[in-house]
Amino acid sequence: MPNRYYEKDGSLALLQDQTVAIIGYGSQGHAHALNLRDSGANVIVGLYPGSKSAPKAEAAGLKVMSVADAAAAATMIMILVSDHIQADIYNKEIAPHMKAGKTLMFAHGFNIHFGFIVPPADVDVTMVAPKAPGHRVRELFTEGVGVPALVAVHQNASGKALERSLAYALALGCLKAGVIETTFREETE
């Protein structure tokens, strides 16, 4: 039976010294950014210049930067753009800023599992995948309930990859409903 985690298993203290960059502000991106911000995390949003989502994120009180600037400023980077453009954005905008000790996160395992994104060995690579559309992730968070999610660790360079992912899942509201541990392969296939 896979490991299951709940609120008692996460600690927001692990996010206190982190800057979390949410790359993308669509269905999942807006929910992640707002939920983490409301949970006390230091959140920035990375978008391409001229993005139609930038005014929405700014109106919500979020700091918007270019993807490259957000990746440079962040210690945790959650990529929440469509799978088919993730590798290109990662290689051009994020990879140059992946330094030892950072965490690269996904909500779907596709690009890691199939090798389209190959992060350096000295960073954590994890997944927190809510099992609901973004508007529902946000709605249930505001109601104090949360949606279930999957969590996976692909690389554990820090020795704290799972703990940090559970902190992120707690801030997202998912540990209220429960999080099941899986692998990038299982989640993708």
Side-chain angles (χ1 to χ4, degrees):
M1 168 129 356
N3 292 325
R4 289 183 237 161
Y5 302 99
Y6 297 94
E7 285 182 288
K8 65 178 178 48
D9 301 308
S11 172
L12 293 177
L14 291 171
L15 297 179
Q16 287 179 347
D17 63 344
Q18 304 291 315
T19 297
V20 181
I22 304 297
I23 308 302
Y25 197 74
S27 175
Q28 289 291 327
H30 91 280
H32 286 239
L34 295 173
N35 291 7
L36 264 73
R37 189 239 4 237
D38 290 354
S39 293
N42 180 24
V43 177
I44 54 179
V45 176
L47 298 170
Y48 64 87
S51 168
K52 293 178 183 175
S53 297
K56 295 174 189 173
E58 289 168 344
L62 295 163
K63 182 176 183 178
V64 176
M65 309 169 84
S66 71
V67 172
D69 288 346
T75 52
M76 298 176 80
I77 302 161
M78 171 59 97
I79 300 179
L80 293 170
V81 296
S82 300
D83 285 336
H84 69 284
I85 61 172
Q86 283 185 12
D88 189 48
I89 290 171
Y90 173 81
N91 289 322
K92 290 179 182 174
E93 306 290 330
I94 299 170
H97 306 290
M98 291 308 302
K99 308 291 184 220
K102 289 195 175 194
T103 301
L104 183 64
M105 301 181 75
F106 298 86
H108 181 38
F110 182 86
N111 278 283
I112 291 293
H113 176 60
F114 289 109
F116 296 114
I117 294 176
V118 181
D122 57 1
V123 302
D124 289 345
V125 181
T126 67
M127 175 174 45
V128 175
K131 298 292 104 189
H135 71 276
R136 191 72 172 144
V137 173
R138 180 64 179 158
E139 178 183 20
L140 290 180
F141 176 88
T142 62
E143 293 174 7
V145 182
V147 301
L150 299 175
V151 65
V153 174
H154 177 71
Q155 282 182 190
N156 186 14
S158 71
K160 294 184 178 187
L162 179 61
E163 292 87 346
R164 288 184 181 146
S165 296
L166 292 174
Y168 186 101
L170 179 61
L172 190 55
C174 295
L175 285 179
K176 286 182 181 292
V179 172
I180 298 172
E181 191 170 7
T182 187
T183 66
F184 274 66
R185 178 181 179 179
E186 286 177 344
E187 190 277 340
T188 301
E189 293 180 356

